[in-house]
Amino acid sequence: MALRGHVLRYGDHIDTDVIIPARYLNTTDPAELAKHCMEDAEDDFIGRVRPGDFIVAGENFGCGSSREHAPIAIKACGVSAVVAKSFARIFFRNAINVGLPILESPEAAEAAANGDELEIDLTTGVIRNLTRGASYQAQAFPGFLRDIIDAGGLVPYVQRQLAAR
Amino acid sequence: MTISSPTRLEALLAEKAGRPVRAGEVVTLPVDVIMAHDATLALLIDEFTRLGCAVRDPDRVMVTCDHFAPPARIDWADLQRAVIDFSQRRGLDLRLYQGICHQLLLEDRRVTPGTLLVGADSHTTLAGAVGAVATGLGATDILACLATGETWFRVPESIGVTLTGAPKPWVMGRDAALYLLGHFGEAGAGYRALELRDRTANGLTMDSRAAICCMATEMGAKAALFVPDAVTAAFLRARDGAPWTFPDEDAAACAETLTIALDALDSLIACPHSPANIAGVREVEGTPLHQVYIGSCAGGRLEDFAMAAAIVAGRTVAPGLKVIAVPSSVTVMREAMRRGYIHTLLDAGVCVSNPSCGACGGIDKGVLGSGETALMTSTRNFQGRLGPRDSAVYLASTAVCAASALTGRITHPADVWWEEGR
């Protein structure tokens, strides 16, 4: 499946507190969380983000709190994937578990600028920067994680496991 | 090719897996203890119920109400009600307002050297202080653990950290954690684990070890554990005498090693807006403060209350400065009361609040107003975590916080305490 959208570019160490501040952990409703996504990272993320856009960031994206509200909020505000040089480990798991596509590619992240148009093939992990005419191969997920992703997240994966017992 | 001996982490995880494992491998392992708290468990209750899941082994679970403790808002009270009802219905070990989840785990009989512990909170690494393999997961991973009793791990590479020397009287475990943060930055230990060995002159206290393991998550570490030693044995004996074993010490092959000479270490501080933005306290001394906060899983233990009380004893905090102290558990608070620390703090004008996560997460009492600057012993100082985006937080040890509470400015502890030769 190829996704197409524009880049919203961020730096290193974007933490889950700026992705979704604790003052909004008063709800588990994705639509409500989406309203405050990236609120402490910039003034008008919600005004700027368009459905299908990609967040592209530097090192250690999603560091800090284990709050799963962070990938949920990103997904619910229409972002179709996050590309980063690297992900913080809990965010990495959370994103896969809730079905937010993430791609690790230092080269793609380094080259992309705000507003660039990307085309991403989630099956192959190929990221094409249409604005710059460049193509990158994201890190492949281990087969085991592929199974969780293919199942649509950890919940359907675990349901299947429990049913098989 | 020679095959190197396993690291302590590899040896521990191999024991769980029942076969040799090496860093980089993905293994699915049964977990010994699962923790979730009011702020994260709320996220999975509906899904868990909808799926008709059962908790596989309720005896392995601890649920804490510590983030909304007690709730100051109706929506938080609603979330917490769901957590309390869920826990009671399913026969889980519910700790209502007993303290911070990580401190309660440190005090819990089920947590011993080698325990595989997962918690729905990033600072779960703290339990490594007693030699547990402890790591934070998100809510859905915890949901799966509750239902299946197991989860997957990528076996981490280990970084060997050795602590040596005798620290200055005002240098605490937190300073070693700040040193490590300065060394690694926010991601330098990413996906890896710290294996710490205490070779200091007198042995670090369990409270200092807890502060270090807690803050390891801010370096990106998956886990941080102190190799059990005499301090560990004494702590566990005094705690509850729970039986424990640990793989024999051998030449653990850590790819990277690091030694911290504590005798050469002076008080450090993390400046806004990153826990890894490290400076010496002398470099920023004099910075005016609106609030000082002593608490959180990184700094609200008995050792912290002892240090704070020793520094403020017989004095009063700076006029107009908000000074808040929050014990990390009821056990800590009771002992701090028995020893007179709480009394001393109250006499000095410190506001002592009930055991909880308090202001650390920007949720409970002690949040910041616009343009305010705070010095805290808490875990993080990300922009906006404690208040509006124009508020600022410095992080340091309890000694630095207590010294600064007296002056209203960032102050080196040596300047207010040791000048009198105490």
Side-chain angles (χ1 to χ4, degrees):
Chain A
M1 181 179 63
L3 305 169
R4 212 160 155 158
H6 291 91
V7 169
L8 301 160
R9 184 70 163 87
Y10 296 90
D12 295 335
H13 311 301
I14 297 297
D15 61 81
T16 54
D17 270 281
V18 303
I19 296 171
I20 184 77
R23 55 186 176 275
Y24 302 117
L25 303 187
N26 55 343
T27 176
T28 55
D29 176 14
E32 275 302 310
L33 292 169
K35 287 182 192 166
H36 305 290
C37 187
M38 302 295 274
E39 187 172 296
D40 282 354
E42 66 172 301
D43 284 333
D44 192 29
F45 176 83
I46 288 307
R48 198 154 80 91
V49 63
R50 298 281 170 267
D53 279 355
F54 302 110
I55 287 179
V56 178
E59 303 281 356
N60 204 26
F61 185 86
C63 60
S65 157
S66 69
R67 67 190 66 160
E68 205 166 273
H69 311 69
I72 292 172
I74 291 174
K75 192 180 171 194
C77 69
V79 169
S80 59
V82 182
V83 179
K85 289 185 185 174
S86 65
F87 292 91
R89 54 164 290 273
I90 301 178
F91 185 92
F92 179 91
R93 291 180 74 125
N94 287 349
I96 287 170
N97 290 346
V98 305
L100 170 69
I102 52 172
L103 296 103
E104 201 172 284
S105 170
E107 302 80 17
E110 182 65 38
N114 250 327
D116 281 5
E117 194 178 13
L118 301 187
E119 191 179 88
I120 297 180
D121 186 327
L122 290 179
T123 315
T124 61
V126 171
I127 303 166
R128 291 176 60 211
N129 189 323
L130 304 176
T131 308
R132 288 166 204 280
S135 186
Y136 313 90
Q137 178 65 55
Q139 291 270 350
F141 291 114
F144 160 81
L145 282 184
R146 210 49 265 170
D147 294 344
I148 298 177
I149 295 164
D150 291 345
L154 186 63
V155 168
Y157 178 83
V158 166
Q159 261 181 307
R160 214 174 288 173
Q161 267 191 314
L162 289 175
R165 274 185 190 180
Chain B
M1 193 182 114
T2 55
I3 298 182
S4 56
S5 54
T7 65
R8 301 315 290 271
L9 248 298
E10 287 169 334
L12 278 170
L13 296 180
E15 224 173 64
K16 308 277 176 199
R19 63 176 176 83
V21 300
R22 279 303 161 104
E25 262 183 77
V26 173
V27 289
T28 296
L29 298 175
V31 295
D32 299 315
V33 179
I34 303 168
M35 182 279 292
H37 57 62
D38 43 4
T40 50
L41 183 58
L43 204 52
L44 62 83
I45 287 176
D46 287 351
E47 189 78 347
F48 199 83
T49 308
R50 187 182 68 75
L51 295 171
C53 289
V55 176
R56 190 174 166 83
D57 188 354
D59 292 344
R60 292 177 183 238
V61 181
M62 178 191 284
V63 176
T64 62
C65 288
D66 50 8
H67 282 62
F68 315 130
R73 282 172 25 182
I74 294 164
D75 44 11
W76 289 336
D78 287 340
L79 286 180
Q80 194 170 78
R81 172 48 49 200
V83 169
I84 294 170
D85 289 349
F86 176 87
S87 304
Q88 291 201 304
R89 248 196 322 267
R90 302 199 180 240
L92 308 181
D93 172 15
L94 172 69
R95 308 291 184 92
L96 189 58
Y97 313 147
Q98 294 300 295
I100 305 171
C101 50
H102 309 301
Q103 181 65 24
L104 297 177
L105 287 167
L106 189 65
E107 295 170 2
D108 193 278
R109 186 181 173 84
R110 291 168 288 186
V111 181
T112 59
T115 299
L116 187 56
L117 162 62
V118 294
D121 190 281
S122 55
H123 294 107
T124 301
T125 51
L126 184 149
V130 291
V133 182
T135 196
L137 299 176
T140 301
D141 267 323
I142 292 295
L143 181 155
C145 285
L146 288 172
T148 67
E150 61 186 30
T151 193
W152 64 272
F153 299 93
R154 185 190 155 279
V155 179
E157 290 82 14
S158 288
I159 303 167
V161 179
T162 305
L163 299 136
T164 64
K168 296 175 180 68
W170 57 83
V171 169
M172 307 178 74
R174 181 54 178 266
D175 293 299
L178 290 164
Y179 177 88
L180 286 168
L181 276 156
H183 177 83
F184 288 116
E186 273 185 64
Y191 298 98
R192 296 190 285 171
L194 305 186
E195 293 187 19
L196 299 116
R197 286 173 179 74
D198 184 348
R199 300 283 183 267
T200 59
N202 302 310
L204 292 174
T205 61
M206 191 53 68
D207 286 0
S208 271
R209 293 178 181 196
I212 295 169
C213 292
C214 173
M215 292 303 286
T217 195
E218 308 305 333
M219 308 157 206
K222 171 180 284 184
L225 67 88
F226 270 87
V227 174
D229 57 14
V231 171
T232 319
F235 171 82
L236 292 169
R237 208 164 37 240
R239 191 186 70 182
D240 48 32
W244 59 278
T245 58
F246 202 77
D248 287 339
E249 171 101 48
D250 58 7
C254 295
E256 185 181 335
T257 58
L258 172 73
T259 297
I260 308 178
L262 289 183
D263 39 3
L265 193 64
D266 198 5
S267 300
L268 296 173
I269 191 164
C271 301
H273 299 284
S274 160
N277 185 16
I278 306 300
V281 168
R282 292 286 182 211
E283 294 172 63
V284 290
E285 65 185 348
T287 304
L289 300 169
H290 301 98
Q291 175 167 309
V292 170
Y293 182 95
I294 295 167
S296 92
C297 51
R301 276 171 283 277
L302 195 61
E303 171 174 281
D304 299 289
F305 277 80
M307 178 65 82
I311 291 178
V312 305
R315 310 186 192 187
T316 52
V317 302
L321 181 72
K322 301 182 277 184
V323 184
I324 303 157
V326 184
S328 60
S329 75
V330 166
T331 303
V332 168
M333 185 169 193
R334 198 178 283 125
E335 188 59 17
M337 289 174 82
R338 198 183 67 77
R339 296 191 190 186
Y341 303 153
I342 303 282
H343 210 120
T344 301
L345 294 180
L346 292 173
D347 284 350
V350 177
C351 163
V352 181
S353 193
N354 64 300
S356 63
C357 301
C360 174
I363 295 172
D364 234 340
K365 290 188 292 293
V367 297
L368 299 178
S370 206
E372 286 193 319
T373 299
L375 172 63
M376 310 186 44
T377 62
S378 57
T379 57
R380 297 192 170 115
N381 59 348
F382 297 140
Q383 189 164 19
R385 180 169 164 98
L386 266 294
R389 284 179 72 187
D390 66 354
S391 59
V393 176
Y394 291 82
L395 304 174
S397 72
T398 297
V400 178
C401 286
S404 305
L406 297 174
T407 61
R409 296 172 178 277
I410 292 175
T411 299
H412 195 290
D415 293 350
V416 297
W417 186 18
W418 284 273
E419 67 182 7
E420 295 180 5
R422 286 205 252 178

